[in-house]
Amino acid sequence: MPEEQSQTIMAVDELQAIIQRCQILKEADFRGEDFNLFQVAGQKCLEDGYAAQLLEVVQNEKNKVIIKNMGWNLICPLVRCILVYKQEDDKREHCLKILDQLVQLCNAKELFLGLLEQIEQTSGEQVCQTVMLLLQPLQTVLFKLQNKKAYSVGLSLAMIMNQLTPLPVPYTKQQIQEDKLGLCQCCNAVVDFAKPFVNEVVKNMEKSSECNDMELKEELLKFCMKSLKYPLLTAQLEQLESIEEHPFRRFATEIIDILWDMRELIPLVFLHHKGRSPSWENEEFVDVEQKNSADSLACLSYLMFVQYFGIDCFPMVFSPSYLLQCNMTHIEVLLKRTEESVLSKGLDLFESSLLRMEDNSLLHQYLEFSDFITVPQNLLKVMTLCPIEHLRKKSLNILQLFIDKFDAEGKYTLFRCLLKTSNHAGVEGYIIQNIKDQIHLSLTVCDNSWFTGHHLISLLDLVLLLPEGAETDLLQNSDRIMASLNLLRYLIIKDNEYNNQTGVWTMLAKIEQNFLKPLHVGLNMSKAHYEAEIKNKKENRREAHNSNTVCSVTVSGEKMPAMTTEMQLQVLRSALFTFDLIESVLARVEELIEVKIKAVT
């Protein structure tokens, strides 16, 4: 007889010997040694491919008491074998039947711990496979538990979500279709696993105005909050062509439905704005919720107000400005993140909230809420620092949308704030262009005290000056300087000294002192410096007899690609061109001032 077959028969014989010995014992007489021997022999049978023989032992009515007490020890080798065998393998089918028998016969508490242990120990590519394999057995066991059922359901869901969370969320259409790790399928399987417990809570709520099973409701709410943060916060939730049922959209729908069924959807939407915590009985959960719920609540608002999940349940009694106010906290949370999937949700939520509003309808008093200042500041960071071009462009469009929604005083206050805090010449130039547009409306369409007279003079004090006088870096601040000169040129042309609606003629001397004269000096210094640099480069090139000499440039501590002398000369000439452009506009402004003054004289 071959040695391998002999060892296998020995393993089966050993199992039978242990079974026969235990059959004659009372349940109370089982010893630790019996448990160990049963586990080793059963594991050996499974590993050697004799699952059919083990199934016969488990199904034998005489062994019912033995399996009830010792069977849970087989969970670990069973799961390992099921994951190894192919779908069509008979041995896999035998293992699944054994697992089913263990669920029916074993002590519920021990089996529950054994199943959770398997989920906790799995990792990597096997996480989703293991979870989906054990969800049904785990659900059955949980319904058998009499004591601490809510705690056990919560522990199960928390363990499952903790194991899933490290897995990357499929984002592109191809990744979602491939579902390489099985996460899309697994998430929906987990929500199906939770449904019977949700139904139990809902049933109790229907019987009474208050939920009698508050602990179970709390655990299910924790699960929903975790699901909103992962995978939904980072998931791609837009409709995708050729994907009939988007797995994450289905998952989102189920989570929203659970919250609605448990009467928590609307309270959660307004939770952060009201500055209150949900009325959990468990104080420990209150602390955790306060620390970790911001991402989840932001995702919930995105689902409702951008993707319209559960919007049919939402009462249509709130004004667009109130909804914007409620969402600003969530928008701020999302805009602080750097991941494209999260950042884009913040931009979408901001845009969606603004599009509900009429232009000029947002009262300036809203700027007294800190979120209405910090959110546009975060938006500016996206505009200037985000490496993703389409998000930078979108953020610029949203900034303009935000400006357009405010009343005149709101626009005025927002412009002052952004000019003082942006520290970015391109942004300042954009704001100055907006100021020019508002002045134009005020002069041509309807008179507006905020962009004429003494209010405008105060604003122009921030605009028509050089931040560091003549020593200002004109190249770095060229966007701001050009916008300021264009604004001044417009004011000189459009407003005359007799009417002086804008007040520009009153402050002309101040403008010349703080802006025009320092700009002249700065231009002369900058042009002289760059012309000298060009001369030096040309001389060095002639001396080296090689125009391909390279130099290294360091920016913010990072070494940039090497530049040839020709490339350096091109950069220097470009700077001179910018100075010439500024100088030509400056000359035109001074010419206009002179003409107007002569005309008055």
Side-chain angles (χ1 to χ4, degrees):
M1 183 183 293
E3 185 180 346
E4 186 178 337
Q5 188 180 355
S6 171
Q7 286 177 347
T8 301
I9 292 174
M10 222 166 86
V12 175
D13 289 343
E14 280 178 13
L15 180 64
Q16 290 289 1
I18 296 161
I19 292 293
Q20 286 170 11
R21 187 161 69 83
C22 291
Q23 280 176 346
I24 59 173
L25 295 174
K26 291 181 180 179
E27 191 173 344
D29 294 333
F30 291 152
R31 295 174 297 172
E33 183 186 352
D34 298 325
F35 285 83
N36 291 335
L37 290 171
F38 176 83
Q39 182 181 1
V40 170
Q43 181 173 333
K44 183 67 175 167
C45 288
L46 286 168
E47 288 174 350
D48 290 344
Y50 277 73
Q53 283 83 343
L54 182 58
L55 178 59
E56 288 177 15
V57 170
V58 172
Q59 288 177 330
N60 192 329
E61 191 69 22
K62 294 178 182 178
N63 302 329
K64 200 171 182 179
V65 175
I66 300 169
I67 301 304
K68 176 190 171 185
N69 287 276
M70 303 183 188
W72 69 275
N73 284 304
L74 297 176
I75 293 293
C76 177
L78 257 180
V79 170
R80 197 160 54 237
C81 289
I82 291 170
L83 294 178
V84 168
Y85 293 137
K86 292 181 179 178
Q87 198 75 26
E88 63 277 2
D89 198 321
D90 288 341
K91 293 174 185 175
R92 188 176 192 275
E93 192 60 35
H94 292 144
C95 289
L96 289 170
K97 287 181 179 177
I98 294 170
L99 180 59
D100 186 55
Q101 283 293 110
L102 294 181
V103 171
Q104 302 305 319
L105 299 174
C106 287
N107 178 288
K109 183 181 176 183
E110 290 173 339
L111 191 59
F112 169 69
L113 295 173
L115 292 169
L116 273 196
E117 185 180 8
Q118 287 311 298
I119 292 172
E120 185 181 21
Q121 289 179 355
T122 187
S123 61
E125 294 182 2
Q126 289 194 330
V127 169
C128 291
Q129 295 177 53
T130 305
V131 169
M132 284 190 285
L133 172 66
L134 298 181
L135 280 176
Q136 188 59 56
L138 187 57
Q139 189 186 70
T140 305
V141 170
L142 285 168
F143 275 112
K144 286 184 176 184
L145 289 174
Q146 298 301 317
N147 299 323
K148 295 189 175 180
K149 181 179 175 183
Y151 170 78
S152 301
V153 170
L155 185 61
S156 302
L157 290 168
M159 182 73 72
I160 290 166
M161 295 306 291
N162 286 343
Q163 289 298 89
L164 294 179
T165 301
L167 301 180
V169 179
Y171 188 70
T172 66
K173 178 180 171 182
Q174 184 180 347
Q175 288 171 345
I176 292 170
Q177 286 176 320
E178 288 178 356
D179 194 18
K180 196 172 180 183
L181 297 177
L183 181 65
C184 300
Q185 187 183 353
C186 189
C187 285
N188 284 296
V190 173
V191 86
D192 289 338
F193 163 84
K195 277 182 185 177
F197 306 108
V198 174
N199 293 337
E200 190 176 316
V201 169
V202 172
K203 203 171 179 181
N204 287 334
M205 291 172 72
E206 287 171 353
K207 289 178 184 176
S208 169
S209 59
E210 293 185 7
C211 180
N212 295 323
D213 202 350
M214 200 64 189
E215 284 185 18
L216 183 56
K217 183 180 177 182
E218 285 181 14
E219 297 299 341
L220 291 166
L221 278 169
K222 289 181 191 178
F223 163 67
C224 289
M225 294 293 277
K226 284 184 180 178
S227 299
L228 288 166
K229 185 169 183 178
Y230 176 94
L232 292 176
L233 184 63
T234 51
Q236 164 65 269
L237 292 165
E238 301 292 339
Q239 288 282 15
L240 298 171
E241 289 181 18
S242 75
I243 296 184
E244 192 172 332
E245 186 180 38
H246 192 310
F248 289 125
R249 287 183 69 85
R250 187 205 155 203
F251 183 67
T253 302
E254 298 286 2
I255 294 297
I256 295 290
D257 286 347
I258 290 173
L259 291 172
W260 174 253
D261 290 341
M262 296 195 303
R263 304 175 192 169
E264 287 295 332
L265 180 60
I266 305 304
L268 279 175
V269 170
F270 294 107
L271 175 68
H272 214 91
H273 173 63
K274 291 293 184 186
R276 63 179 180 85
S277 295
S279 54
W280 312 121
E281 288 185 356
N282 189 334
E283 289 184 12
E284 183 183 346
F285 180 50
V286 175
D287 296 335
V288 174
E289 185 277 330
Q290 286 175 339
K291 290 176 185 175
N292 300 325
S293 68
D295 286 340
S296 302
L297 294 174
C299 184
L300 179 60
S301 281
Y302 169 82
L303 292 176
M304 286 204 73
F305 298 113
V306 178
Q307 296 296 335
Y308 302 117
F309 290 109
I311 199 69
D312 293 342
C313 309
F314 195 77
M316 297 300 173
V317 295
F318 302 105
S319 69
S321 55
Y322 178 73
L323 290 178
L324 173 65
Q325 183 187 349
C326 292
N327 281 329
M328 286 301 261
T329 301
H330 307 311
I331 294 165
E332 182 177 9
V333 168
L334 297 172
L335 291 187
K336 283 182 177 178
R337 298 284 288 269
T338 55
E339 309 95 310
E340 180 182 0
S341 55
V342 183
L343 194 51
S344 62
K345 286 182 176 65
L347 293 174
D348 287 343
L349 181 57
F350 199 5
E351 182 180 46
S352 174
S353 301
L354 291 170
L355 287 173
R356 289 186 174 86
M357 305 186 65
E358 297 282 336
D359 284 355
N360 308 307
S361 66
L362 191 58
L363 300 177
H364 62 274
Q365 286 90 341
Y366 278 93
L367 287 169
E368 294 173 12
F369 297 109
S370 61
D371 293 338
F372 279 77
I373 298 298
T374 55
V375 166
Q377 288 174 341
N378 288 326
L379 193 65
L380 295 184
K381 289 178 183 176
V382 179
M383 282 170 52
T384 55
L385 300 175
C386 179
I388 305 164
E389 184 181 6
H390 74 92
L391 294 184
R392 291 199 306 272
K393 288 181 177 178
K394 183 164 187 172
S395 62
L396 177 61
N397 294 335
I398 292 171
L399 176 64
Q400 188 60 58
L401 204 57
F402 186 58
I403 291 168
D404 292 343
K405 299 307 170 186
F406 275 102
D407 60 17
E409 186 176 348
K411 290 183 176 74
Y412 178 88
T413 307
L414 186 61
F415 292 155
R416 288 187 68 89
C417 174
L418 295 179
L419 282 172
K420 287 180 177 179
T421 60
S422 69
N423 296 318
H424 188 280
V427 172
E428 290 165 1
Y430 187 79
I431 297 302
I432 292 167
Q433 177 61 44
N434 264 275
I435 293 171
K436 176 174 170 284
D437 293 341
Q438 291 305 311
I439 294 169
H440 179 72
L441 284 173
S442 186
L443 293 177
T444 58
V445 180
C446 59
D447 186 21
N448 184 332
S449 64
W450 289 98
F451 291 96
T452 56
H454 70 278
H455 285 132
L456 180 58
I457 290 173
S458 175
L459 191 58
L460 292 177
D461 280 339
L462 295 175
V463 173
L464 301 176
L465 85 165
L466 289 181
E468 296 170 37
E471 295 180 359
T472 300
D473 187 332
L474 301 187
L475 199 59
Q476 188 173 334
N477 286 276
S478 60
D479 288 341
R480 177 199 166 105
I481 293 167
M482 285 298 292
S484 299
L485 286 171
N486 282 325
L487 171 59
L488 182 55
R489 178 172 60 179
Y490 171 83
L491 293 173
I492 299 299
I493 293 171
K494 203 72 182 174
D495 196 11
N496 59 57
E497 197 171 2
Y498 295 113
N499 294 329
N500 196 22
Q501 286 176 271
T502 61
V504 68
W505 295 100
T506 307
M507 60 181 301
L508 193 57
K510 190 175 183 181
I511 292 169
E512 288 182 342
Q513 184 66 32
N514 294 340
F515 184 50
L516 301 181
K517 285 183 180 177
L519 185 53
H520 264 297
V521 175
L523 280 168
N524 291 335
M525 289 166 57
S526 297
K527 287 179 73 174
H529 172 72
Y530 277 81
E531 284 167 355
E533 280 292 311
I534 288 173
K535 186 178 178 182
N536 287 337
K537 294 293 177 190
K538 286 180 176 178
E539 288 176 358
N540 291 340
R541 183 177 62 182
R542 279 197 296 271
E543 288 174 11
H545 298 290
N546 181 9
S547 62
N548 291 321
T549 304
V550 297
C551 75
S552 62
V553 179
T554 303
V555 178
S556 300
E558 290 189 21
K559 199 169 183 180
M560 303 301 286
M563 294 175 68
T564 64
T565 305
E566 277 302 327
M567 290 165 70
Q568 295 172 54
L569 284 169
Q570 191 175 349
V571 170
L572 294 169
R573 289 182 188 122
S574 176
L576 276 179
F577 176 78
T578 301
F579 299 144
D580 288 341
L581 193 61
I582 294 172
E583 195 169 40
S584 68
V585 180
L586 174 60
R588 177 61 179 152
V589 168
E590 291 179 328
E591 181 186 338
L592 287 168
I593 293 171
E594 189 178 346
V595 168
K596 285 273 184 129
I597 291 173
K598 280 182 179 178
V600 171
T601 307

